[in-house]
Amino acid sequence: MGGKEKIKALAAAAKNGRMSVAVDDVQNARDLSDAARAAGSRLEVLIEVDVGMGRGGVRSPEEAMTLARRVAHLPGLRFRGVQGYEGHCMLEPDRSLRIQKAGAAMDYLGTVTQRLAAAGFDCVVVSAGGTGTYDITGNHPGVTEIQAGSYVFMDNFHGNLVPGFSHALTVLGTVVIQHGNTLVLDSGRKSVGIDFALPTMVDYPFYQARYFAEEHALFDVDERCRLKLGDTVELIPGYAPSTVNLYDAYHVVEKNVVVDIWPIIPRGPGHCGLLT
Amino acid sequence: MGGKEKIKALAAAAKNGRMSVAVDDVQNARDLSDAARAAGSRLEVLIEVDVGMGRGGVRSPEEAMTLARRVAHLPGLRFRGVQGYEGHCMLEPDRSLRIQKAGAAMDYLGTVTQRLAAAGFDCVVVSAGGTGTYDITGNHPGVTEIQAGSYVFMDNFHGNLVPGFSHALTVLGTVVIQHGNTLVLDSGRKSVGIDFALPTMVDYPFYQARYFAEEHALFDVDERCRLKLGDTVELIPGYAPSTVNLYDAYHVVEKNVVVDIWPIIPRGPGHCGLLT
């Protein structure tokens, strides 16, 4: 967690409940400690460990030890354990390779955890995993918390990766052009995430889009398609995480009826969406 | 323009000024006519011609003629000319090939225009082009209007395609993780468009990002980089069109001072952003 304003907001939010934050830097730990003290709150700290992704995280057990010692002595902070996100395994389409890679990452996280415990730093929380490895990392001994989130919505990318979940998130488009065998929907990359996989139509799952432009989705259809100009079309996003932030609200649907509207609050800096 | 609500909104907006709409379908023309009559407004109509992109547009001069005749007889509509967007030439990186393809597309649009004129349908407006072909299509005889828009902001994709414009749109990120030689910014695919080209740092244009995750941009840096945890970083988007709609406002900057804040209104359905 970096950035003065964000740290301040985090420390303030920690007054309302238990708040954990992953840390991999001594100066960052100091900044968090200062902010928690100023806010009169306490932040729980997980040492972030790089388990192979090469993004955030300390890069050796020794660094983890050094940082844990510093965190333990800083007021306003409470050492709770480790976090090691194996994001480099998440996109692996070959499941046996994914199992092998995620297993190796968690074995390494276990090594770090044991080193910390031997020095008196018990890891109550060992947090890891995502939707792509929830059942692999979730079964690894020692792991106490799975960070899987995308399974709630699912999308074509995660659906191919981890079958067995339903699609709960769809985007409603309209047929705005119909010419020859081409259907054009008003749902392009500004409306629906296409990362890693293309969106598909719920009612016509066998068509693959020819192209997703910014404002348009192009489908070349055949005689099986009954859609006509002006019809609405339900789309399963290619990637749900990059779809949600394009909207201000969820429309909650039960049996084809909108039963609630939920605001999407954390869309961007200072944005309160429907709550303004 | 399809969808009952959108057509209604268009017809209402046409009461406040001259409004042109591209049409490629007889039923759509009828719907627009009905809506304009109901709103007491008038819509100017361009016949959309498919000049090779295979998206919207009539697919032969004969279809253009038939549609022009219908539009001329529908109340609330006024025939004004043709629109032929050569989007299939826009992404062509080889400039000589782009010139050749765009030239062929505009030759075809010219043929359609002449056929219409010979039947008494003078095309006052012949609209085409984009930022990638502004100087090619813009020099084509007969073309009266260029639809180029992205040149206003520019981005890495358009900048590579059409050199000579400045970058006016940037996104401000923060260094949230710094570990080893890796810098992580809080500006991922939810903050900055990466379509067709990756974003770069204004102050360090020689680094290419290793990866853009949803919430993170990863740069592996070397000794030339002076950035540290908590620093802000100005990024040039990979693709500006898909960046703007992620935000509620532009911060207008002159000589490093924010001199104005402009709302981004047409971000999504029913969204008024800062104007709510």
Side-chain angles (χ1 to χ4, degrees):
Chain A
M1 169 70 64
K4 208 181 290 184
E5 291 305 316
K6 288 189 183 180
I7 289 175
K8 197 175 161 188
L10 177 75
K15 294 190 74 168
N16 304 321
R18 208 162 65 83
M19 195 71 76
S20 299
V21 57
V23 174
D24 68 358
D25 179 272
V26 171
Q27 181 55 50
N28 186 226
R30 279 198 211 103
D31 293 344
L32 290 164
S33 168
D34 290 346
R37 280 201 299 171
S41 65
R42 190 171 67 167
L43 291 166
E44 305 208 336
V45 168
L46 305 179
I47 304 296
E48 182 166 351
V49 180
D50 181 4
V51 295
M53 194 186 185
R55 185 164 72 185
V58 297
R59 295 189 177 178
S60 71
E62 291 69 34
E63 283 188 45
M65 293 284 286
T66 306
L67 189 52
R69 282 195 195 96
R70 300 302 291 267
V71 166
H73 287 97
L74 283 166
L77 303 185
R78 184 188 180 204
F79 173 84
R80 289 288 282 172
V82 293
Q83 195 265 105
Y85 176 59
E86 72 282 21
H88 60 300
C89 313
M90 218 55 65
L91 305 185
E92 174 57 55
D94 181 331
R95 183 166 161 88
S96 62
L97 209 55
R98 210 183 324 145
I99 290 174
Q100 190 188 312
K101 283 182 172 179
M106 289 309 105
D107 287 347
Y108 174 67
L109 190 61
T111 304
V112 176
T113 307
Q114 285 156 22
R115 286 280 297 275
L116 286 166
F121 298 106
D122 269 333
C123 294
V124 177
V125 177
V126 178
S127 183
T131 296
T133 58
Y134 81 99
D135 57 344
I136 305 166
T137 297
N139 282 320
H140 199 91
V143 171
T144 69
E145 181 181 276
I146 293 297
Q147 300 167 27
S150 294
Y151 78 94
V152 174
F153 291 139
M154 293 310 286
D155 52 41
N156 284 333
F157 169 70
H158 287 95
N160 292 338
L161 206 61
V162 192
F165 292 94
S166 301
H167 295 283
L169 184 78
T170 60
V171 168
L172 203 60
T174 301
V175 180
V176 287
I177 299 172
Q178 179 180 30
H179 214 89
N181 64 326
T182 300
L183 278 186
V184 184
L185 313 182
D186 60 354
S187 320
R189 300 196 306 272
K190 288 182 177 176
S191 306
V192 56
I194 67 163
D195 322 55
F196 310 118
L198 287 183
T200 48
M201 298 190 272
V202 170
D203 289 339
Y204 299 96
F206 39 84
Y207 295 131
Q208 283 294 316
R210 168 150 56 93
Y211 183 56
F212 269 84
E214 289 107 274
E215 285 100 2
H216 300 105
L218 274 71
F219 288 90
D220 292 322
V221 298
D222 53 25
E223 70 288 346
R224 290 172 294 178
C225 186
R226 311 216 164 273
L227 291 168
K228 56 185 197 307
L229 194 66
D231 283 352
T232 53
V233 179
E234 219 178 338
L235 290 167
I236 297 169
Y239 201 62
S242 59
T243 300
V244 169
N245 73 308
L246 300 172
Y247 295 89
D248 288 332
Y250 301 104
H251 289 76
V252 186
V253 176
E254 268 177 17
K255 296 177 186 164
N256 286 320
V257 175
V258 174
V259 294
D260 208 351
I261 298 178
W262 296 342
I264 298 171
I265 301 169
R267 221 187 40 79
H271 181 90
C272 299
L274 296 184
L275 298 185
T276 47
Chain B
M1 169 69 66
K4 209 182 288 184
E5 290 306 315
K6 288 189 183 178
I7 288 176
K8 197 177 161 185
L10 178 75
K15 293 190 76 166
N16 304 322
R18 207 163 65 84
M19 196 71 76
S20 299
V21 58
V23 174
D24 68 358
D25 179 271
V26 171
Q27 181 56 50
N28 186 225
R30 278 197 213 107
D31 293 343
L32 290 163
S33 168
D34 290 346
R37 279 200 300 172
S41 65
R42 191 171 65 168
L43 291 166
E44 305 208 337
V45 169
L46 306 179
I47 304 295
E48 182 166 351
V49 180
D50 180 3
V51 296
M53 194 188 187
R55 184 164 72 185
V58 297
R59 294 188 176 178
S60 72
E62 291 68 34
E63 283 188 44
M65 293 284 286
T66 305
L67 188 53
R69 280 194 197 100
R70 301 300 291 267
V71 166
H73 286 98
L74 282 166
L77 304 185
R78 184 186 181 205
F79 173 84
R80 288 288 282 173
V82 292
Q83 195 264 106
Y85 177 59
E86 72 283 19
H88 60 299
C89 314
M90 218 56 63
L91 306 183
E92 173 56 57
D94 180 331
R95 184 168 160 86
S96 63
L97 209 55
R98 210 184 323 146
I99 290 174
Q100 189 188 314
K101 283 182 173 181
M106 289 308 106
D107 287 347
Y108 174 67
L109 191 61
T111 304
V112 176
T113 307
Q114 284 157 22
R115 287 280 296 276
L116 286 167
F121 299 106
D122 270 333
C123 294
V124 178
V125 177
V126 178
S127 183
T131 296
T133 57
Y134 81 99
D135 57 343
I136 304 166
T137 297
N139 282 321
H140 198 90
V143 171
T144 69
E145 180 181 277
I146 293 296
Q147 300 167 27
S150 295
Y151 78 95
V152 174
F153 291 137
M154 292 311 285
D155 51 41
N156 284 333
F157 168 70
H158 287 96
N160 293 336
L161 206 61
V162 191
F165 293 93
S166 300
H167 295 282
L169 183 78
T170 60
V171 168
L172 203 60
T174 301
V175 180
V176 287
I177 300 174
Q178 181 180 29
H179 214 88
N181 64 326
T182 300
L183 278 186
V184 183
L185 313 182
D186 60 354
S187 321
R189 299 196 306 272
K190 288 182 178 176
S191 306
V192 57
I194 67 163
D195 321 54
F196 310 118
L198 287 182
T200 48
M201 298 190 274
V202 170
D203 289 339
Y204 299 95
F206 38 85
Y207 295 131
Q208 283 294 315
R210 168 151 53 94
Y211 184 56
F212 268 83
E214 288 107 273
E215 284 98 3
H216 300 105
L218 274 71
F219 288 90
D220 292 322
V221 299
D222 54 24
E223 70 289 345
R224 291 171 294 178
C225 185
R226 309 216 164 274
L227 291 169
K228 56 185 195 307
L229 194 65
D231 282 353
T232 53
V233 179
E234 219 178 338
L235 290 167
I236 298 170
Y239 200 63
S242 59
T243 301
V244 169
N245 72 309
L246 300 172
Y247 296 89
D248 288 331
Y250 301 105
H251 288 77
V252 186
V253 176
E254 267 176 20
K255 294 178 186 164
N256 286 323
V257 175
V258 174
V259 295
D260 207 351
I261 298 178
W262 296 342
I264 297 171
I265 300 172
R267 218 186 40 77
H271 182 90
C272 298
L274 296 185
L275 298 185
T276 49

